[in-house]
């Protein structure tokens, strides 16, 4: 799994590529923690290139969302497809997260 | 008499020339090569001297050196009349023979003195001490100038006095060199310090040779030849000794290397035994420092290890009285015992003092003469003067773990290069051992934690009921197969009596001890709170509210809970995002998936959960499972899926619950084959009678 960090108008976008599992999920958490320490609390996670996510991965997204909210920020998820969407649906967390179909939508939601 | 002495002189030089030629070929020694050249030129000079005698007219001969007349007669008698008849013709040869003898004197000086001084100079340049360096440079320049002057000064007769003064100078310089042996100057030539007494004896005849050579022209008496021969013999003795010492130094080196090797092997065995017995870092370090002290004959030594937290060196082990690194004002308290204790409790900042500098740079430090060296602070003057120091880093590749240091040699004023090389080897060995001890201890800790983990796993498995009693109206069976160590799957059956049971199936996100702890928490809440009159939704809501506040959000669990009243066959269920209950309706021969609204427990408090009721009939089969079953993957990356479960249930609906679960387990195993499983496989099946 690779994480690429971009920034758009103060909003951090993490492009994740690969499978998210028990062993690498903490990397995402650490990365977001690092962003928060750098004062960035509005984060978009792009799951476009993610083929698989397990319960630990979901767990990391949940705790990151919670941490960001506590810091007055937000976590939005974009491009959730196929098996990853299935996992979100199975765990009934689709409405728990802010999920957007595209990056533009997620970005405009901040301006609204 | 004189003739015989002359022959003796030629014979001796010839023999020495041949001896040195053999030595040179035998040992490929450059020293033997140089000595061979000296004797060869000397031999040629003597031959030239004899030939020159015949080129001098009789009148000259009688006027000048009368003592050689019988020599000439003798040689003429022995060698025939050839020379006599051509005496006049040989006259022009005389001048060139004179030059040859001149050249010999030049070469003699060059090889015996200048070369020696150049070596001395070369070694001295590598040393500190500006005075010694300057002295050696001036000394060499003076001698060089003298030789140049001599070479320029024409014939033998015209420079006799200058030659005398110059040779006296050489004598003086030789005496000074002997004097300097006892002032450590000769430390630069290690084999000389080892045999300084013998070398002094060898030097005396060498100087005697020059002395006799110097006074010969003034004595001008027959027995001056005796002096010359004595000089040559002295030089032979010196050459022999010189060769002998240089060979000795090679032998010593071989002995040192063997000693070092055997020491390292012994040490390795020793450490191996220590590791087999009881491996503690302190004991191993103590063995290494003791080996270092024993082999270098050092007075005291210590090992300091880097503490990353404080960025300083802490004393790991110290043997003997190792003086503190910094001076303290103690008044009259400078007692040895106190200073030892003081050193033991020292923290040496990295980069400070000579120990800290070695730890910082990772480069070994060898201060041969530490008495006046400003890198060393004499902190225990009078009690333990630091005379000589070796400090080596303990490092693996670029990772510096600490330093090892020894002070003062018992059997000699300073440590030798062999001691230094040995310490570097021991330092490497110590670092490797330290690393091994660390790895070994990590392994032990890992083993311990694995043991704890397996204990936790056993406890967890013990919490899962494997046998269910025979109920009147239901038949229950379950299995749980942990993928690796401690899993997070949990199922349970709570018997409320009156034919009512509560059944739970949960899957905690993550693995290992944290997941098992959450599982135990859920179990406690459930066992405490679940009652026959509490609806499924209440139970799940309570579990969620209890866990959500206490546990970090990423530790959540999916959970399916139902209460079954077997008397009226009513099923009350609630699902917290777990896989839906698979219900086989026997009267319809169809499957239903029972599910309700709600997210996993442990994420947010006060989540609204839904609940439903449904009625069952005799022969209906309810199956609860975790995704370890439905997502069990074979090597073709196919999932077992719910349909395979359905098929097994439908085809074997008449079987008892235990037989059904065994069959499902076997078929899952068969399906996945050799593919490694990452998730626990848990399944519970309840059949309504």
């Amino acid at each position: 799994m690779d994480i690429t960090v971009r920034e758009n108008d103060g909003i951090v976008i993490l492009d994740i590529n690969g499978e998210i599992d028990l062993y690498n999920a903490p990397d995402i958490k650490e990365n977001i923690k690092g962003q928060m320490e750098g004062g960035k609390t509005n984060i978009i996670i792009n799951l476009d290139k993610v083929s698989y996510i397990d319960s630990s991965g979901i767990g990391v997204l949940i705790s990151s969302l919670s941490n960001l909210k506590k810091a007055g920020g937000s976590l939005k998820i974009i491009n959730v497809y196929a098996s990853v969407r299935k996992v979100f649906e199975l765990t009934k967390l689709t409405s728990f997260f802010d999920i957007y179909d595209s990056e533009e939508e997620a970005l405009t939601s901040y301006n609204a | 008499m004189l003739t015989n002495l002359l022959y003796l002189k030629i014979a001796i030089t010839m023999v020495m020339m041949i001896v040195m030629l053999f030595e040179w070929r035998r040992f490929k020694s450059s020293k033997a090569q140089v000595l061979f050249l000296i004797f060869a030129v000397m031999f040629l000079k003597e031959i030239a001297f004899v030939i020159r005698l015949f080129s001098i007219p009789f009148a000259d001969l009688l006027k000048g050196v009368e003592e050689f007349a019988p020599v000439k007669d003798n040689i003429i008698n022995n060698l025939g009349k050839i020379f006599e008849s051509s005496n006049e013709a040989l006259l022009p040869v005389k001048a060139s023979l004179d030059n040859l003898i001149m050249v010999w004197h030049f070469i003699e000086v060059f090889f015996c003195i200048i070369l020696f001084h150049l070596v001395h100079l070369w070694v001295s340049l590598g040393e500190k001490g500006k005075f010694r360096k300057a002295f050696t440079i001036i000394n060499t320049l003076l001698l060089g100038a003298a030789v140049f002057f001599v070479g320029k000064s024409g014939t033998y007769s015209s420079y006799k006095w200058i030659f005398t003064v110059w040779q006296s100078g050489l004598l003086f310089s030789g005496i000074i060199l002997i004097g300097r042996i006892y002032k450590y100057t000769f430390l630069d030539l290690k084999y000389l310090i080892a045999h300084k007494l013998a070398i002094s004896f060898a030097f005396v005849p060498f100087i005697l040779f020059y002395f006799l050579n110097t006074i010969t022209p003034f004595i001008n008496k027959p027995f001056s030849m005796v002096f010359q021969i004595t000089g040559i013999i002295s030089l032979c003795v010196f050459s022999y000794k010189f060769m002998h010492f240089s060979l000795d130094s090679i032998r010593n080196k071989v002995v040192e290397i063997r000693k070092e090797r055997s020491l390292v092997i012994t040490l390795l065995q020793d450490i191996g035994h220590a590791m087999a017995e009881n491996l503690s870092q302190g004991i191993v370090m103590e063995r290494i420092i003791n080996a270092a002290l024993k082999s270098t004959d050092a007075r005291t030594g210590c090992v300091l290890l880097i503490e990353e937290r404080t960025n300083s060196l802490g004393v790991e082990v110290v043997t003997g009285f190792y003086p503190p690194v910094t001076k303290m004002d103690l008044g009259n308290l400078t007692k040895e015992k106190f200073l030892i204790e003081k050193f033991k409790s020292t923290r040496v900042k990295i980069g400070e003092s000579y120990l800290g500098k070695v730890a910082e740079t990772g480069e070994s430090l060898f201060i041969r003469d530490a008495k006046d060296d400003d890198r060393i602070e004499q902190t225990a003057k009078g009690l333990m003067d630091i005379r000589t120091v070796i400090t080596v880093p303990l490092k693996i590749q670029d990772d510096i773990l600490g330093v090892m240091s020894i002070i003062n040699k018992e059997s000699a004023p300073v440590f030798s290069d062999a001691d230094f090389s040995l310490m570097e080897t021991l330092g490497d060995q110590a670092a490797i051992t330290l690393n091994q001890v660390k790895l070994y201890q990590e392994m032990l800790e890992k083993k311990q934690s694995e043991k704890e983990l397996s204990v936790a796993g056993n406890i967890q498995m013990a919490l899962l009921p494997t046998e269910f009693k025979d109920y009147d109206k239901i038949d229950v069976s379950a299995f749980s197969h942990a993928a690796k160590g401690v899993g997070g799957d949990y199922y349970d059956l709570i018997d409320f009596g009156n034919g009512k049971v509560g059944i739970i199936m949960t899957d905690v996100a993550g693995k290992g001890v944290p997941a098992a702890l959450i599982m135990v928490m859920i179990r406690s809440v459930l066992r405490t709170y679940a009652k026959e009159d509490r609806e499924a939704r209440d139970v799940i809501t309570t579990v969620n509210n209890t866990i959500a506040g206490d546990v970090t959000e990423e530790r959540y669990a999916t959970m399916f809970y139902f209460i079954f009243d077997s008397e009226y066959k009513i099923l009350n269920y609630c699902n917290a995002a777990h896989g839906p209950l698979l219900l086989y309706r026997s009267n319809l021969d169809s499957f239903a998936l029972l599910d309700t609204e709600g997210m996993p427990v442990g994420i947010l408090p006060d989540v609204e959960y839904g609940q439903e009721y449904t009625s069952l009939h005799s022969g209906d089969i309810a199956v609860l499972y975790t995704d370890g079953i439905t997502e069990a993957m074979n090597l073709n990356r196919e999932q077992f899926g719910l349909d395979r479960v359905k098929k097994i249930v439908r085809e074997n609906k008449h079987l008892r619950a235990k037989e059904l679960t065994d069959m499902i387990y076997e078929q899952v195993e068969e399906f996945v084959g050799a593919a490694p499983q990452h998730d626990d496989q848990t399944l519970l099946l309840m059949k309504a009678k």
Side-chain angles (χ1 to χ4, degrees):
Chain A
M1 183 201 70
D2 302 313
I3 305 173
T4 319
V5 183
R6 289 185 285 138
E7 215 178 307
N8 189 325
D9 207 10
I11 294 152
V12 176
I13 303 163
L14 303 182
D15 295 314
I16 296 167
N17 192 344
E19 299 190 346
I20 307 173
D21 58 27
L22 180 67
Y23 305 101
N24 60 34
D27 296 349
I28 300 178
K29 191 172 177 179
E30 284 308 308
N31 195 310
I32 291 175
K33 237 183 210 168
Q35 303 295 345
M36 286 172 72
E37 276 160 17
K40 312 279 184 207
T41 53
N42 287 323
I43 291 172
I44 296 176
I45 292 189
N46 181 5
L47 297 179
D48 191 22
K49 299 265 169 61
V50 174
S51 51
Y52 171 82
I53 186 165
D54 74 352
S55 60
S56 307
I58 298 282
V60 162
L61 293 182
I62 294 169
S63 69
S64 300
L65 170 67
S66 154
N67 290 340
L68 285 166
K69 272 190 176 165
K70 277 175 205 159
S74 67
L75 180 91
K76 298 181 190 227
I77 301 174
I78 56 171
N79 301 327
V80 187
Y81 301 126
S83 59
V84 177
R85 181 166 282 271
K86 205 180 136 200
V87 173
F88 275 88
E89 279 163 3
L90 277 176
T91 49
K92 294 166 186 170
L93 290 168
T94 330
S95 56
F96 178 70
F97 289 107
D98 280 348
I99 298 179
Y100 294 87
D101 291 337
S102 69
E103 196 176 311
E104 291 73 37
E105 269 184 55
L107 286 170
T108 46
S109 74
Y110 281 105
N111 300 328
Chain B
M1 170 69 183
L2 269 174
T3 321
N4 288 339
L5 285 174
L6 192 63
Y7 286 154
L8 182 67
K9 211 172 149 188
I10 294 172
I12 292 171
T13 48
M14 194 172 74
V15 167
M16 280 309 284
M17 183 177 80
I18 293 164
V19 166
M20 285 304 150
L21 181 66
F22 274 105
E23 293 281 293
W24 169 21
R25 293 183 61 101
R26 218 172 112 209
F27 298 107
K28 309 257 177 264
S29 156
S30 57
K31 294 184 186 79
Q33 198 176 345
V34 170
L35 287 168
F36 163 73
L37 286 172
I38 290 172
F39 283 108
V41 175
M42 216 163 151
F43 175 71
L44 289 175
K45 177 213 143 195
E46 297 302 335
I47 297 288
F49 186 72
V50 171
I51 297 171
R52 183 178 172 273
L53 279 180
F54 298 109
S55 65
I56 303 166
F58 279 110
D60 285 2
L61 193 69
L62 291 169
K63 219 178 356 172
V65 276
E66 294 91 347
E67 77 267 26
F68 290 116
V71 178
K72 192 204 164 202
D73 292 342
N74 198 309
I75 290 170
I76 291 166
N77 289 339
N78 286 341
L79 299 179
K81 309 272 175 189
I82 312 154
F83 288 109
E84 200 178 21
S85 59
S86 57
N87 238 350
E88 292 298 320
L90 282 172
L91 264 175
V93 182
K94 182 188 170 254
S96 56
L97 286 174
D98 273 348
N99 285 340
L100 185 65
I101 293 162
M102 269 290 303
V103 169
W104 149 248
H105 280 299
F106 180 82
I107 293 171
E108 186 180 53
V109 168
F110 181 78
F111 279 121
C112 294
I113 302 293
I114 303 302
L115 203 65
F116 182 77
H117 272 77
L118 281 177
V119 170
H120 191 190
L121 171 69
W122 172 63
V123 177
S124 301
L125 283 174
E127 288 292 312
K128 288 216 160 183
K130 281 175 189 158
F131 175 74
R132 198 200 298 175
K133 205 188 285 180
F135 180 80
T136 318
I137 290 169
I138 291 165
N139 199 12
T140 314
L141 285 177
L142 276 173
L143 284 165
V147 172
F148 182 73
F149 185 57
V150 167
K152 282 262 173 186
S153 35
T155 62
Y156 185 86
S157 53
S158 65
Y159 77 92
K160 195 159 97 180
W161 281 103
I162 298 161
F163 181 71
T164 308
V165 171
W166 164 65
Q167 285 211 323
S168 306
L170 284 183
L171 273 176
F172 179 68
S173 134
I175 291 162
I176 285 181
L177 285 174
I178 289 179
R180 286 165 75 199
I181 289 178
Y182 291 98
K183 288 192 160 187
Y184 295 113
T185 312
F186 268 84
L187 293 180
D188 307 333
L189 297 168
K190 292 103 202 168
Y191 48 85
L192 293 187
I193 184 74
H195 309 281
K196 57 182 179 185
L197 198 67
I199 288 282
S200 304
F201 279 116
F203 252 79
V204 171
F206 188 61
I207 286 165
L208 198 66
F209 170 71
Y210 271 96
F211 174 69
L212 295 173
N213 254 353
T214 311
I215 59 168
T216 305
F218 298 97
I219 295 170
N220 222 3
K221 292 270 158 65
F223 71 96
S224 71
M225 280 294 265
V226 178
F227 283 163
Q228 286 204 5
I229 287 173
T230 316
I232 288 183
I233 292 172
S234 308
L235 190 61
C236 292
V237 171
F238 166 75
S239 302
Y240 175 75
K241 284 267 175 195
F242 188 74
M243 275 306 293
H244 179 72
F245 285 140
S246 68
L247 284 180
D248 263 6
S249 83
I250 292 168
R251 278 194 204 103
N252 285 344
K253 257 180 208 155
V254 172
V255 169
E256 292 279 358
I257 289 168
R258 284 205 185 128
K259 193 175 130 196
E260 188 173 324
R261 198 180 61 180
S262 81
L263 187 92
V264 169
I265 290 169
T266 317
L267 182 73
L268 279 176
Q269 287 169 343
D270 207 20
I271 291 167
H273 287 309
M275 280 183 155
E277 289 159 23
N278 167 27
L279 194 94
S280 106
Q281 191 168 290
I283 290 173
V284 173
M285 286 301 114
E286 208 173 309
R287 293 200 183 194
I288 288 173
I289 193 75
N290 284 339
L293 293 185
K294 207 170 127 194
S295 52
T296 57
D297 204 17
R299 188 84 180 275
T300 167
C302 63
V303 175
L304 292 93
L305 298 181
I306 289 181
E307 290 171 1
E308 275 171 19
R309 194 171 44 84
T310 53
N311 196 36
S312 62
L313 288 164
V315 179
E316 175 71 20
V317 56
V318 52
T319 304
F321 176 21
Y322 201 97
V325 285
T326 47
K327 211 163 194 161
M328 290 156 298
D329 186 21
L330 296 165
N332 296 326
L333 270 171
T334 40
K335 291 276 183 297
E336 192 175 313
K337 240 182 187 172
F338 181 84
L339 287 171
I340 292 174
E341 285 309 312
K342 177 73 202 165
F343 178 70
K344 276 183 186 169
S345 61
T346 323
R347 287 272 174 284
V348 183
K349 275 254 172 296
I350 290 177
E352 279 177 17
S353 86
Y354 65 103
L355 293 174
K357 285 217 173 76
V358 171
E360 186 182 50
T361 59
E363 278 162 23
S364 305
L365 178 79
F366 179 15
I367 305 180
R368 212 184 292 271
D369 187 359
K371 265 186 182 158
D372 300 314
D373 199 296
D374 50 14
R375 286 172 289 181
I376 299 290
E377 197 177 352
Q378 300 288 352
T379 53
K381 232 180 164 72
L383 289 167
M384 175 59 93
D385 290 332
I386 302 175
R387 296 196 308 268
T388 176
V389 183
I390 296 176
T391 306
V392 293
L394 310 180
K395 66 171 174 182
I396 289 193
Q397 279 142 16
D398 292 332
D399 193 11
I400 300 166
L401 308 171
V403 299
M404 175 158 69
S405 185
I406 55 169
I407 282 180
N408 293 359
K409 197 173 171 78
E410 297 268 19
S411 54
V414 296
F415 286 124
S416 65
D417 276 0
D419 293 333
F420 182 52
S421 139
L422 184 74
M423 280 300 283
E424 289 204 303
T425 311
L426 281 177
D428 287 345
Q429 194 52 52
I432 291 165
T433 311
L434 250 172
N435 205 33
Q436 278 173 341
V437 171
K438 225 164 142 188
L439 290 177
Y440 181 74
Q441 275 169 352
E442 270 169 21
M443 195 183 79
L444 276 187
E445 275 163 25
K446 206 180 151 211
K447 263 199 173 157
Q448 182 63 25
S449 71
E450 267 172 13
K451 208 168 155 190
E452 281 165 10
L453 208 64
S454 85
V455 170
N458 290 343
I459 292 171
Q460 183 224 357
M461 287 306 274
L463 294 177
L464 303 177
T466 45
E467 299 282 323
F468 296 92
K469 69 172 190 178
D470 280 332
Y471 295 95
D472 293 340
K473 303 282 173 62
I474 53 169
D475 181 15
V476 185
S477 176
F479 66 82
S480 180
H481 186 70
K484 202 165 46 174
V486 186
D489 285 4
Y490 167 58
Y491 64 84
D492 209 351
L493 181 149
I494 303 161
D495 186 0
F496 300 123
N498 307 326
K500 278 190 178 176
V501 291
I503 287 182
I504 184 126
M505 175 66 71
T506 69
D507 182 358
V508 183
K511 276 200 171 60
V513 176
L517 282 174
I518 307 273
M519 178 205 125
V520 171
M521 263 174 95
I522 291 172
R523 183 178 185 273
S524 311
V525 178
L526 192 80
R527 287 255 168 180
T528 320
Y529 192 76
K531 295 273 156 26
E532 60 175 305
D533 54 346
R534 292 207 168 116
E535 291 185 303
R537 177 165 57 186
D538 283 359
V539 173
I540 286 210
T541 306
T542 306
V543 169
N544 180 45
N545 288 345
T546 315
I547 310 274
D550 291 350
V551 184
T552 154
E553 296 86 350
E554 61 188 87
R555 296 280 168 211
Y556 63 89
T558 62
M559 172 185 275
F560 198 104
Y561 176 67
F562 69 77
I563 301 156
F564 184 58
D565 185 339
S566 59
E567 202 62 43
Y568 300 100
K569 293 206 164 39
I570 291 172
L571 189 80
N572 167 219
Y573 60 92
C574 172
N575 187 13
H578 197 80
L581 184 142
L582 177 71
L583 181 65
Y584 174 71
R585 297 210 181 265
S586 56
N587 56 340
L588 302 170
D589 188 30
S590 70
F591 285 96
L593 286 172
L594 307 187
D595 199 1
T596 60
E597 276 304 304
M599 65 166 72
V601 297
I603 297 174
L604 282 177
D606 304 322
V607 173
E608 294 268 334
Y609 289 98
Q611 69 169 339
E612 294 290 342
Y613 291 87
T614 188
S615 58
L616 266 55
H617 298 90
S618 203
D620 284 2
I621 300 169
V623 185
L624 281 172
Y625 49 85
T626 58
D627 47 16
I629 297 279
T630 49
E631 289 169 14
M633 212 174 266
N634 65 11
L635 287 171
N636 298 327
R637 296 188 70 82
E638 292 166 336
Q639 294 191 346
F640 190 74
L642 212 47
D643 287 341
R644 284 194 173 80
V645 180
K646 284 181 185 170
K647 192 163 175 271
I648 299 166
V649 170
R650 175 178 273 145
E651 287 173 3
N652 303 285
K653 58 194 178 200
H654 54 279
L655 291 180
R656 289 181 50 80
K658 175 81 176 112
E659 291 165 322
L660 265 168
T661 51
D662 283 352
M663 191 174 281
I664 294 170
Y665 180 64
E666 276 162 27
Q667 293 217 6
V668 170
E669 286 296 288
E670 199 183 315
F671 176 80
V672 297
Q677 297 301 303
H678 303 290
D679 226 341
D680 302 351
Q681 296 163 347
T682 306
L683 183 137
L684 182 142
L685 185 145
M686 185 191 81
K687 199 170 174 184
K689 285 186 186 168

